[in-house]
Amino acid sequence: MDCIFCNIINGNIPSTKVYEDEFVTAFNDLNPQMPVHVLIVPKKHIASANDIDENDAELIGKVFLAAKKIAAQLCLENGYRIINNCGEDAGQTVKHLHFHLLGGKTMGDKII
Ligand code: 5GP
Ligand code: ZN
């Protein structure tokens, strides 16, 4: 499948990995918007949050458990934000489910 993140997961496209376990990979965003900008990606190809099904419920929990570990590893004890863009209106550009983990400075520009 011609998917950038599947190719990062299988090593065909290089990335700076910050975390990996059986279910999840995380690597630095190519175009960081914050001092820490990591993409947390389930290894299973799921196109978007809209494509998560019942069988993926445990996997999504594992994403958030990974997020917590990565945040600790990257010293984000002051806090962080986790963002998922789902679909066109939200500006999703890569059609493989991923969560942006952002931190490293105070974020003033809350949308909600
Ligand atoms: P989206 O807009 O879909 O929520 O986020 C996609 C993210 O993937 C963007 O922040 C973009 O910078 C990042 N990205 C796109 N291509 C690559 C790549 O080849 N390597 C890495 N590390 N990040 C990428
Ligand atoms: Zn994929």
Side-chain angles (χ1 to χ4, degrees):
M1 186 190 296
D2 192 20
C3 167
I4 296 173
F5 288 175
C6 283
N7 277 303
I8 286 177
I9 290 161
N10 67 27
N12 286 340
I13 293 177
S15 70
T16 306
K17 292 218 169 102
V18 298
Y19 176 86
E20 182 162 21
D21 65 29
E22 191 182 344
F23 303 100
V24 174
T25 295
F27 47 88
N28 287 330
D29 196 291
L30 201 59
N31 182 25
Q33 303 300 309
M34 290 282 290
V36 173
H37 186 169
V38 169
L39 299 173
I40 307 174
V41 182
K43 289 184 173 176
K44 178 184 176 188
H45 182 91
I46 300 170
S48 79
N50 228 13
D51 298 286
I52 295 167
D53 70 29
E54 288 290 336
N55 297 327
D56 300 318
E58 199 175 335
L59 175 61
I60 301 309
K62 290 184 188 300
V63 167
F64 279 83
L65 291 171
K68 179 176 143 177
K69 287 180 200 160
I70 296 161
Q73 185 184 311
L74 299 180
C75 306
L76 299 180
E77 59 279 341
N78 279 339
Y80 53 90
R81 209 170 267 173
I82 296 172
I83 293 175
N84 168 254
N85 296 316
C86 178
E88 204 176 321
D89 276 2
Q92 181 181 0
T93 56
V94 178
K95 306 293 190 285
H96 181 135
L97 178 65
H98 56 281
F99 297 83
H100 298 257
L101 174 68
L102 300 165
K105 71 169 192 187
T106 303
M107 289 168 261
D109 49 348
K110 281 180 71 181
I111 298 171
I112 51 160

